[in-house]
Amino acid sequence: MIRYLAGSLAAVLIGFVLDLIFGDPSTPLHPICLIGNLIANLEKQIRTILGRSEGLQDTGAKSVPENRRDFLGGIVLAVLVLLISAGIPAILLFLCYRAFFWLGVAVEAFLCFFLFAAKSLKEESMNVKRELETHGLEAGQKAVARIVGRDTKVLSEKGVIKAAVETVAENFSDGEFAPMLYMMIGGGVLGFAYKSINTMDSMVGYKNEQYLYFGRFAAKLDDAANFIPSRLAALLLIISAPFARLDAPNAFRIWRRDRRNHASPNSAQTESAAAGALHVQLAGDAYYFGRLYKKPFIGDDDRPIETEDIARVNRLMLTASVLSLILLTAVKILFLSAAAGLF
């Protein structure tokens, strides 16, 4: 057992390095794309069984209240997606490790590689910086639309920069640190379980007419899965700030004050730490699907936000990613050493 846990640790380390070198490959066969297709197909089938088409039209008598029916359908979706998304990697890795230990390590490393997102997050956000500086606001709006869910055509230059900075800060938690944490605990299998939850939330976790009840369980599941990782990620950003030539004391102060300034219990954790480290103000009102949502600000408006802040927050994110890997690896090695002594 210790040998397989050590192999899993090696796989996470290799996957991290592969991501830094190659980034997230853009292919329809990407496991996260496949999970997204699975969610979309299951949603369609479940809604058909529930007596609705596309979540919008009723097709028969309702013996169960619509909101309860949608909520139960969302639970079924979450359970099936979790079982399939974690079950397939579990079976694959079991067979590979059983056939040849190093084959198992290689396959698990390849799977872990798909779960990290640091390089792609940096490239996409830095593309926003380049487009703004080279081709202007409209190009920046189109570039940032690739990485945010809000309406970007109404954003000013300042709004585009804020959106990019917020995305890097928030996605350090759910795109980098949380997958790393779960992989350190349960290898690629638990990593894929986490990413399936995260992907479900991004696809059905909206508070609109179509998903208010159907996506509620997935959204709450995502909140629970990210509750501890988001707080640890914020602390790691604060600890990493001096190494990224940013302000750690102010990051801690703003985090303590503004970490709850978001409808999500988790999103403001890393955003507030980053805002404090950069001495800028993030968040505020935003449009989603043509509707204005009133949101509190995060951080102090100590200075105007600028395109260089996108580079600064990426430097903070990458520093925190490396520090996270070092600390989690040390904890895992200590655990393996203690377990080896016991068994």
Side-chain angles (χ1 to χ4, degrees):
M1 176 60 73
I2 301 299
R3 186 182 185 216
Y4 293 110
L5 291 174
S8 181
L9 172 60
V12 175
L13 296 175
I14 295 169
F16 181 84
V17 173
L18 289 175
D19 175 66
L20 290 183
I21 296 172
F22 299 107
D24 209 20
S26 179
T27 167
L29 296 179
H30 192 297
I32 306 306
C33 292
L34 296 178
I35 290 174
N37 292 335
L38 172 68
I39 293 167
N41 289 326
L42 284 175
E43 178 189 352
K44 184 175 181 181
Q45 296 302 318
I46 290 169
R47 287 192 185 277
T48 299
I49 293 171
L50 291 176
R52 304 185 75 188
S53 174
E54 300 292 324
L56 298 174
Q57 298 177 350
D58 297 318
T59 59
K62 293 178 261 186
S63 58
V64 179
E66 183 178 299
N67 56 358
R68 187 184 303 173
R69 186 180 59 185
D70 274 6
F71 182 70
L72 292 174
I75 294 176
V76 173
L77 173 73
V79 171
L80 289 176
V81 170
L82 267 172
L83 287 175
I84 296 170
S85 299
I88 291 176
I91 294 170
L92 176 63
L93 290 176
F94 173 80
L95 295 174
C96 290
Y97 272 111
R98 183 154 188 173
F100 180 52
F101 175 76
W102 292 110
L103 174 63
V105 173
V107 172
E108 188 165 14
F110 190 63
L111 293 177
C112 291
F113 160 56
F114 284 112
L115 300 177
F116 287 109
K119 184 173 183 180
S120 295
L121 183 59
K122 179 187 175 183
E123 288 179 344
E124 290 289 347
S125 58
M126 290 299 288
N127 183 54
V128 176
K129 179 178 184 292
R130 285 191 298 272
E131 289 296 311
L132 273 176
E133 293 175 341
T134 306
H135 300 107
L137 177 58
E138 186 175 349
Q141 291 170 336
K142 291 179 180 179
V144 83
R146 291 168 53 90
I147 57 175
V148 301
R150 72 193 68 178
D151 298 343
T152 60
K153 291 184 179 179
V154 298
L155 294 178
S156 63
E157 180 176 331
K158 179 180 176 181
V160 170
I161 299 169
K162 283 173 61 175
V165 171
E166 290 166 17
T167 297
V168 174
E170 182 179 355
N171 280 278
F172 167 65
S173 177
D174 56 19
E176 185 72 3
F177 178 75
M180 185 190 299
L181 177 63
Y182 282 111
M183 283 187 279
M184 285 290 186
I185 295 171
V189 174
L190 193 58
F192 269 91
Y194 169 76
K195 289 301 287 187
S196 71
I197 293 172
N198 198 237
T199 306
M200 272 191 290
D201 179 61
S202 67
M203 292 181 65
V204 304
Y206 296 104
K207 293 182 179 179
N208 56 23
E209 181 181 356
Q210 184 172 354
Y211 291 114
L212 181 60
Y213 296 104
F214 189 85
R216 180 170 295 180
F217 185 78
K220 295 299 182 183
L221 194 60
D222 184 73
D223 287 344
N226 282 295
F227 189 84
I228 292 175
S230 66
R231 285 148 180 82
L232 293 176
L235 292 175
L236 282 159
L237 287 178
I238 295 167
I239 295 169
S240 301
F243 301 102
R245 303 189 300 280
L246 297 171
D247 192 339
N250 198 57
F252 181 72
R253 182 180 70 85
I254 297 298
W255 172 72
R256 287 287 304 274
R257 190 191 73 189
D258 293 349
R259 66 187 187 275
R260 297 186 181 90
N261 285 7
H262 201 285
S264 162
N266 304 319
S267 294
Q269 297 289 329
T270 48
E271 285 186 33
S272 58
L278 294 168
H279 281 274
V280 297
Q281 190 174 72
L282 301 176
D285 299 347
Y287 281 88
Y288 294 87
F289 304 106
R291 179 180 174 186
L292 176 65
Y293 286 81
K294 307 294 288 185
K295 300 168 68 176
F297 287 109
I298 295 173
D300 293 330
D301 194 13
D302 294 335
R303 61 174 180 81
I305 196 165
E306 57 187 11
T307 55
E308 191 59 31
D309 287 313
I310 300 175
R312 293 184 184 112
V313 77
N314 272 295
R315 189 168 69 237
L316 178 61
M317 180 270 295
L318 290 172
T319 303
S321 296
V322 173
L323 181 60
S324 301
L325 188 73
I326 292 170
L327 293 175
L328 290 176
T329 299
V331 171
K332 185 77 177 262
I333 290 173
L334 287 174
F335 170 79
L336 292 175
S337 300
L342 289 174
F343 299 101

